[in-house]
Amino acid sequence: MLISLDSPEARRHVPHDDISEESVSLANQIISVADAVITNIDQDKLLAYYGLKSDQRDDATKIRATMEKQKFSLIKALVKKGCALSRLYVHSAKKGEGDRQSYEHLLDSVTHHWQEVQKFAEPTDIKVISLSLWHAHINNHYGRYLKLLLRYYEEHPLKKLMKNV
């Protein structure tokens, strides 16, 4: 469901400062759906499971499959929500709506979601790299941004991307 809400513009482009109004409205929808997914997953239970050295229970394979699905869903929801919050932050900062403190909470929220994702995956993991790119972009970490961008294009060559467009 989160993928179907993502704008076509967001799928093709790396983080940028030209955010459309359509992208902003879709970002708000993505945030509400991602919140529903995040609240339905018990993160403490998931972290406790991955903290185990080995699971000796009889139904360990079923539990492992369930935990993997939950982990994948949680990572995807956190990444999508973080990217949507980043788009809202860039849009608000570009428009200059109100004072800086009125949209500064979005920056803090993006950083919080980026840190939450790191509990379950590496920031350079291909599932998480889009959020890491947005986080580097809005914090003006240009060196990290370029490093992540190179990693992104190693996994998604330009020919493949242009073919999909």
Side-chain angles (χ1 to χ4, degrees):
M1 180 157 199
L2 284 171
I3 294 173
S4 65
L5 285 177
D6 215 359
S7 69
E9 173 184 302
R11 289 187 202 123
R12 280 182 271 176
H13 299 289
V14 294
H16 58 293
D17 290 335
D18 188 27
I19 307 294
S20 68
E21 292 295 326
E22 177 190 355
S23 183
V24 170
S25 66
L26 286 173
N28 289 321
Q29 292 176 2
I30 288 170
I31 290 169
S32 64
V33 172
D35 279 336
V37 172
I38 292 167
T39 56
N40 285 329
I41 296 175
D42 186 6
Q43 293 184 32
D44 293 333
K45 185 177 177 183
L46 199 57
L47 286 171
Y49 173 77
Y50 282 105
L52 290 175
K53 282 195 171 211
S54 64
D55 194 356
Q56 301 299 326
R57 294 177 276 190
D58 294 333
D59 56 347
T61 55
K62 288 181 184 178
I63 294 171
R64 182 173 186 263
T66 303
M67 292 298 177
E68 285 292 326
K69 286 179 187 175
Q70 286 183 0
K71 178 183 168 187
F72 179 75
S73 298
L74 180 63
I75 289 172
K76 185 176 266 325
L78 287 169
V79 167
K80 293 289 184 183
K81 184 176 178 183
C83 291
L85 288 167
S86 298
R87 283 189 218 113
L88 292 177
Y89 173 78
V90 167
H91 182 71
S92 298
K94 184 179 176 190
K95 283 187 122 180
E97 296 172 350
D99 58 347
R100 182 158 172 83
Q101 293 172 341
S102 64
Y103 53 84
E104 195 67 31
H105 72 283
L106 291 171
L107 182 62
D108 295 336
S109 185
V110 171
T111 301
H112 170 73
H113 283 82
W114 184 65
Q115 291 170 343
E116 287 294 312
V117 165
Q118 289 183 32
K119 292 179 182 176
F120 300 99
E122 291 292 319
T124 56
D125 187 6
I126 202 64
K127 295 178 283 194
V128 179
I129 204 162
S130 60
L131 178 58
S132 296
L133 281 166
W134 273 107
H135 186 262
H137 176 70
I138 63 176
N139 285 299
N140 300 323
H141 297 164
Y142 301 119
R144 184 167 58 103
Y145 181 79
L146 286 174
K147 181 179 162 188
L148 290 167
L149 203 55
L150 286 171
R151 169 90 167 106
Y152 179 77
Y153 283 126
E154 283 176 4
E155 295 292 326
H156 299 344
L158 283 176
K159 285 182 182 179
K160 184 178 174 183
L161 287 174
M162 294 309 262
K163 185 176 144 183
N164 292 340
V165 174

